[in-house]
Amino acid sequence: MPTVVLMDVSLSMTRPVSLDGSEEFQRKNLAVHGLNMLFEHMASNYRLEFTALMAFSSLWELLVPFTRDYNALQEALSSLEDYDKTCVESALNGVSNVVQQEWGSACPCQVMLVTDGSLGIGKGSLRHSLQTLKQRGDDKKFPLPFPFPTKLYIMCIANAEELQMTDAMDNLEELLRLSGGDGQIFTMEGPLCMKSVQAMFGRLIDYAYSPFHAVLHCGNLSSDVQVFPRPEPIVVDEEVEPMPRTVNTDLEIVGFIEIADISSPPVISRHLVLPIAVNKEVDEVGTGATDELEEEPSASQMAGKSPNFCVLLHGSLKVEGMVALVQLGPEWYGMLYSQADSKKKSNLMMSLFEPGSEPLPWLGKISHLGPISEAAENPYGEDDSKSPFPVQPQVKRSYAQNVTVWIKASGLQTDVQKILRNARKLPDKTQTFYKELNRLRKAALAFGFWELLKGVADLLERECTLLPDSAHPDAAFQLSHAAQQLKLASTGDSQYAAFDHNIAPMHTEFSS
């Protein structure tokens, strides 16, 4: 999940702050100190994440494009210049342009706004932007919410009391709400000093940038791994009392399956899995994802290094063209697979499925899958000419049948007229008559359209009275029988209105 750091370099950030009663610093110096602390943490724990640095006042500037080189980010911080007034709206437009140009609109991104809480003055200020939200045309829309999934973190180089003396806090909260509400506002606690800014950025690190450590198990083999970005808790809406589900720190591989059988499944999120190894070289080769500033170690350099199960797993999946099904928690699964970034680099990735025992319908229940060795015969055939997937459901899916849908009155009228035409040709069309009658009956029961059943029963009784003297005697019996069954179904009584029940032709002395 890439990060954009949006640094306020307006004149208000140059306001002096007295430290320890002797040396004076600017608020900008405190912000730079906090960001340096964050970048050092990310360099140690989030080396494979991309980060960009932007500066803004009335205009915005991309100082460092998306990179993994945290030294370049820190060098850019040390050479910041001071500019004029604050214009947050212009800066947010810049963020939208930079992220979409680099990642498109599907990649989630974290945006970190570092400011002193000053809203700016006059036109272009945050206060003015929020007040004019409803008076804008389509060509001048406010940039929030961004067209891509976003988490907005507002880092205020000010304490809450200072922000609440004006309407700054209210406007920042409105800004967070417009972004989608996924994020947080951080303020400094106590006096403005180095210790307070360290504590504030420490809270941000704990909240958004704490690494996710887990143990990957496969039988008797295991490996300590780190997952990027940290998996977010998932809330299942279908549950009566939804509770957030979190990924376990013990990840259990339950089996392996061919890529062709897993196809392209729907997933909640994708994550990079890195082995935590004693030797740095093993870590890098294990995923093939090396820092862009360092050379990938050769095979000779790897000789004699500590073995790592995660490295073995990644290489095996890559060579065999398979994925590993991994259990993330109770009735929650995902998959591990090799993904190539380029011809030379590939990563071990983990995708999270929707919670549930049957996240991929064509595989059936994950708990019902088993090794090939336990099958009576190889389900893939002797020459891999067949596949046991997709698993055929016991009940035929509704979308595989001719479903009756009445969108317009003419469709319903056509179905009723079809029944009446067959009724007038009884007993020659007995089977077709009852087939159409049962189709209409099931649709009416599914929609709760009891009046239709009663109305068609009346029409059949009327047809019975209009039968000519030359009509076959069996026609009157069948029409009366069908009309009676429809009337019973129209009462809603479960004995007669069962959906799976079909009205059978009446057996008479005239029936063959």
Side-chain angles (χ1 to χ4, degrees), residues 420 433 437 456-464 479 482-483 486:
L420 295 179
F433 169 74
L437 188 71
V456 174
D458 292 340
L459 287 175
L460 294 179
E461 288 181 342
R462 180 174 177 273
E463 288 294 325
C464 187
L479 288 174
L486 288 180

Side-chain angles (χ1 to χ4, degrees), residues 441-442 445-446 450 453 485-501:
R441 175 184 177 277
K442 282 192 173 185
L445 291 174
W450 316 111
L453 299 176
Q485 292 297 315
L486 288 180
K487 284 185 177 181
L488 291 173
S490 68
T491 62
D493 190 339
S494 58
Q495 182 179 355
Y496 305 103
F499 180 79
D500 294 330
H501 174 70

Side-chain angles (χ1 to χ4, degrees), residues 41-55:
H41 170 80
M42 295 179 73
S44 300
N45 298 278
Y46 279 77
R47 291 179 56 244
L48 300 178
E49 293 285 9
F50 287 92
T51 305
L53 177 62
M54 296 175 61

Side-chain angles (χ1 to χ4, degrees), residues 12-49:
S12 62
M13 288 289 285
T14 64
R15 286 181 290 171
V17 176
S18 178
L19 298 181
D20 300 329
S22 56
E23 192 175 5
E24 282 194 351
F25 282 87
Q26 298 175 353
R27 296 188 184 224
K28 182 179 71 173
N29 301 130
L30 294 180
V32 169
H33 180 74
L35 285 174
N36 277 324
M37 172 185 167
L38 175 66
F39 289 156
E40 288 172 3
H41 170 80
M42 295 179 73
S44 300
N45 298 278
Y46 279 77
R47 291 179 56 244
L48 300 178
E49 293 285 9

Side-chain angles (χ1 to χ4, degrees), residues 209-272:
Y209 292 95
S210 58
F212 183 83
H213 296 280
V215 181
L216 182 62
H217 300 276
C218 182
N220 295 324
L221 299 175
S222 64
S223 175
D224 293 330
V225 296
Q226 204 169 346
V227 180
F228 299 93
R230 187 182 185 89
E232 297 290 336
I234 301 297
V235 177
V236 182
D237 294 336
E238 289 79 8
E239 294 180 350
V240 178
E241 296 181 359
M243 293 289 291
R245 295 196 185 193
T246 56
V247 175
N248 288 347
T249 53
D250 284 317
L251 305 176
E252 187 74 36
I253 293 178
V254 296
F256 300 88
I257 193 168
E258 294 187 2
I259 290 179
D261 290 331
I262 204 75
S263 188
S264 298
V267 298
I268 298 173
S269 57
R270 296 169 60 250
H271 305 266
L272 178 65

